[in-house]
Amino acid sequence: MLRIWPLAAESPPLAAFVRRISFSRTTLASPKASTSANPATPPKWSPNSIRTGVIARKRGMTVLWSDQGERLPVTVLQAILSLEHCQVTANIQTVRRDRTEYHAVQVGASDRPAKTESNQMLGHFNKARVPPKRIVREFPVTPDAHVPVGTTLSALHFVPGQFVDVVANGIGKGFAGGMKRWNFRGGAASHGASVSHRAIGSTGQHQDPGRVFPGKKMPGRLGGKRITTQNLAVVRIDTRLDLIFVKGAVPGVDDAHVLVTDAKKTMVALGRHNQAKGLYEKVLPKGVDDLPFPAGTAKLAKTLPSIVEAPAYRRSPFIPQE
């Protein structure tokens, strides 16, 4: 369900939660309440915090050169521009059966005409005071990382030097054979083979067991599945065009929607581990002092330079070693 944001200091009893879950599963956060109850000091990021993600579009790949002359292949992701407004549409809090609380931030992106949206979703967006969106996704967060409804997220949500995970649907390749799908070697190319050069070979045994075991690698549909690429380094941020330059390849076709979040392993898990061991200088990656919390907004992006780039911390590859 969705609760009024900001959260009350005293939580109601579990019975009240159960009644709200069963009778009202879509209570939107109140924008007035979120602005009136903001604390005087902005909240700070901690290793135990999990921030929301951003919905962006994959614009393609290019190359950048570091300050040491190193060539970096990067993928360009665009957060908001023109009709790509990535905005918070709801804050969610529910109680599971084991009495643990689930917190999430619902984010929408890509404005669409109101006449093409269903009446149910139109009411949902009208309560959040945001335009209708083509894509709406939910990002689990910690209780301190809720974002006021209607906030516009920007590329500055991520800091150059940190690592991110990118989720997208991979490129579909259609029905493929065993050699392309599973990297099978195939049969002989010339001698001793006829009409079976790319065949997968035997698929089982004899009368016993008399069947093909489940999970056997065989020809079938290849690609078109949800893929998560982990631990991609953020190289550069363009606050004017809201571009995120990440090092490496990202799944999906160009102009496809992708979900970008803080890296689960190298940012969240490793940060908590180093915090518990007392290695405070290693909680965040080298060169990163802090993260925008609870989110990097378009208002914050206007106060910074148009280009923010991470310096190279490795040894220059062009200096000979002694």
Side-chain angles (χ1 to χ4, degrees):
M1 76 168 201
L2 314 179
R3 274 195 63 192
I4 298 298
W5 174 252
L7 304 178
E10 297 181 359
S11 58
L14 180 62
F17 273 118
V18 174
R19 285 196 296 269
R20 291 185 185 181
I21 294 172
S22 57
F23 293 105
S24 177
R25 299 183 62 91
T26 57
T27 303
L28 276 176
S30 173
K32 295 182 180 180
S34 63
T35 55
S36 61
N38 282 338
T41 58
K44 296 290 290 182
W45 177 88
S46 69
N48 295 323
S49 301
I50 299 179
R51 305 189 303 160
T52 181
V54 170
I55 303 176
R57 277 188 184 268
K58 176 183 175 181
R59 294 305 185 188
M61 292 195 69
T62 183
V63 294
L64 297 177
W65 278 265
S66 67
D67 52 3
Q68 295 178 346
E70 180 187 9
R71 184 177 185 271
L72 304 175
V74 296
T75 302
V76 183
L77 308 177
Q78 192 164 31
I80 61 169
L81 183 67
S82 181
L83 300 180
E84 298 297 331
H85 296 105
C86 182
Q87 295 178 297
V88 178
T89 57
N91 287 290
I92 300 172
Q93 179 186 9
T94 60
V95 177
R96 302 184 182 96
R97 292 186 177 182
D98 58 356
R99 299 194 176 187
T100 60
E101 290 188 354
Y102 169 78
H103 297 265
V105 173
Q106 188 184 93
V107 178
S110 294
D111 295 351
R112 68 186 303 174
K115 64 180 181 180
T116 63
E117 187 59 272
S118 63
N119 292 332
Q120 293 83 355
M121 291 303 297
L122 277 178
H124 180 73
F125 294 128
N126 290 336
K127 289 182 180 179
R129 299 180 182 179
V130 298
K133 305 294 182 181
R134 292 187 182 275
I135 178 173
V136 178
R137 293 295 181 267
E138 188 175 297
F139 296 94
V141 298
T142 48
D144 60 338
H146 284 276
V147 185
V149 174
T151 302
T152 301
L153 305 178
S154 72
L156 194 65
H157 185 71
F158 302 104
V159 178
Q162 77 163 98
F163 297 90
V164 295
D165 293 341
V166 180
V167 182
N169 291 326
I171 298 177
K173 302 179 184 298
F175 195 95
M179 293 182 66
K180 182 176 181 179
R181 192 184 186 198
W182 301 110
N183 295 323
F184 285 176
R185 179 183 176 183
S190 58
H191 294 74
S194 57
V195 202
S196 59
H197 306 284
R198 300 181 62 88
I200 63 172
S202 175
T203 59
Q205 294 75 42
H206 208 267
Q207 184 174 352
D208 183 19
R211 65 190 179 98
V212 177
F213 288 114
K216 170 64 180 175
K217 295 180 179 179
M218 301 179 71
R221 190 167 184 175
L222 176 62
K225 295 182 179 180
R226 181 185 174 101
I227 301 175
T228 301
T229 305
Q230 297 181 328
N231 306 328
L232 297 178
V234 179
V235 179
R236 177 189 290 183
I237 296 294
D238 189 330
T239 59
R240 186 174 62 89
L241 298 177
D242 276 295
L243 300 179
I244 308 171
F245 297 82
V246 297
K247 183 179 179 180
V250 167
V253 298
D254 290 349
D255 295 331
H257 286 103
V258 298
L259 311 182
V260 190
T261 58
D262 293 335
K264 192 173 183 179
K265 295 179 180 177
T266 56
M267 292 290 295
V268 179
L270 187 60
R272 292 179 179 178
H273 175 74
N274 291 332
Q275 174 80 5
K277 294 181 64 176
L279 303 175
Y280 304 110
E281 69 280 358
K282 296 184 179 180
V283 170
L284 288 172
K286 187 175 182 179
V288 179
D289 297 330
D290 199 2
L291 298 177
F293 192 78
T297 63
K299 183 178 180 181
L300 177 62
K302 295 179 180 179
T303 63
L304 294 177
S306 59
I307 299 295
V308 183
E309 192 168 7
Y313 293 101
R314 55 167 285 180
R315 181 189 60 84
S316 175
F318 303 105
I319 298 178
Q321 295 184 1
E322 296 180 356

